[in-house]
Amino acid sequence: MLNTTLRTALVAFSLLAVRTLGAQQKPDLAPYLIADRGEEIALARSSAPRNVTDSATILVLEKNGYMEAARGTNGFTCLVMRSFTGSTADPTFWSPKVHAPTCFNPPAVRTVLAPILKRVDWIIGGVSLAEVDARTQRGYASRQFPAPAPGAMAYMTSPRQYLLDADPHWLPHLMFFYDKSVPGSAFGAGGMTAPVIDASAGDPKAFVLTLFVPVRQWSDGSAAPAVGSH
């Protein structure tokens, strides 16, 4: 079962008023599934240092969505994000190559991860991407999808991440989440070679400001490339 806080948030979000559309074809999840459950758990745990992930809740992707594979005690939740957990405007939205191990801290679990998982449920259920975006907009407008809580952040520091074909492993980084009404310029955020990166700048559909802060090492302690070397 999902941890209590996350389960409560998902139940609340499921009460969103939605339009009924014609039947949509459900996506084939087979290319996105990892056959070895233990391997997916290990990959999820590689998202952050062991002092974080050893006591974290772990989710794995199954044919009906993300399911809890291990119950944690520290409030963090780690999972391997797939391409369809991101923006529908991303050209790699349906790429089965994308494996992005991520570990959300407790404020982000409640206010950032829960809406992501609800969107995944809609997508897996066959809801059109246009309707997924419309429901998301209504959710944030009605505040049934809350703004990111103060302190909401996540680790993405796995040396095994595969983010995009051009630069699969990119850089280990932390993600910090804010209401989109806060501009990236308030943090001096810039492009992909800046010390603080405004990862939402190119996504007009984003309802959350996401800042990337590259860090000096991967979760296993090995040294990371310098910012700007990619």
Side-chain angles (χ1 to χ4, degrees), residues 15-227:
L15 299 178
L16 286 169
V18 297
R19 298 188 185 101
T20 302
L21 299 182
Q24 302 286 336
Q25 183 175 358
K26 294 182 179 182
D28 178 12
L29 286 190
Y32 304 92
L33 301 179
I34 297 175
D36 185 337
R37 185 183 179 91
E39 170 62 18
E40 182 160 1
I41 292 172
L43 188 56
R45 290 197 190 278
S46 75
S47 58
R50 288 191 59 181
N51 67 294
V52 173
T53 63
D54 280 355
S55 300
T57 292
I58 306 298
L59 306 183
V60 298
L61 182 65
E62 298 181 354
K63 63 181 181 179
N64 293 320
Y66 280 99
M67 303 295 175
E68 187 175 287
R71 174 67 60 87
T73 58
N74 64 0
F76 282 76
T77 295
C78 310
L79 70 163
V80 181
M81 305 277 274
R82 304 312 206 271
S83 54
F84 51 79
T85 60
S87 168
T88 58
D90 192 326
T92 65
F93 187 80
W94 291 115
S95 172
K97 294 181 181 179
V98 173
H99 285 161
T102 310
C103 201
F104 295 84
N105 75 344
V109 169
R110 299 191 306 270
T111 60
V112 178
L113 178 58
I116 289 173
L117 295 180
K118 177 51 63 177
R119 283 169 56 91
V120 169
D121 286 345
W122 292 334
I123 291 164
I124 289 175
V127 176
S128 71
L129 297 189
E131 176 63 8
V132 168
D133 286 340
R135 293 184 184 187
T136 302
Q137 182 176 22
R138 293 197 295 272
Y140 280 107
S142 67
R143 299 190 182 279
Q144 289 180 292
F145 283 177
M153 60 81 63
Y155 287 84
M156 194 178 282
T157 60
S158 173
R160 301 169 59 193
Q161 67 186 11
Y162 191 106
L163 304 183
L164 69 166
D165 290 341
D167 195 0
H169 305 297
W170 192 53
L171 295 169
H173 57 282
L174 305 180
M175 297 186 290
F176 296 89
F177 305 104
Y178 299 89
D179 188 286
K180 193 63 186 292
S181 63
V182 179
S185 59
F187 301 89
M192 297 304 287
T193 59
V196 178
I197 298 164
D198 184 350
S200 307
D203 182 7
K205 297 180 180 180
F207 290 92
V208 173
L209 171 66
T210 302
L211 300 179
F212 290 171
V213 179
V215 295
R216 62 186 179 181
Q217 64 185 31
W218 298 100
S219 61
D220 61 4
S222 58
V227 176

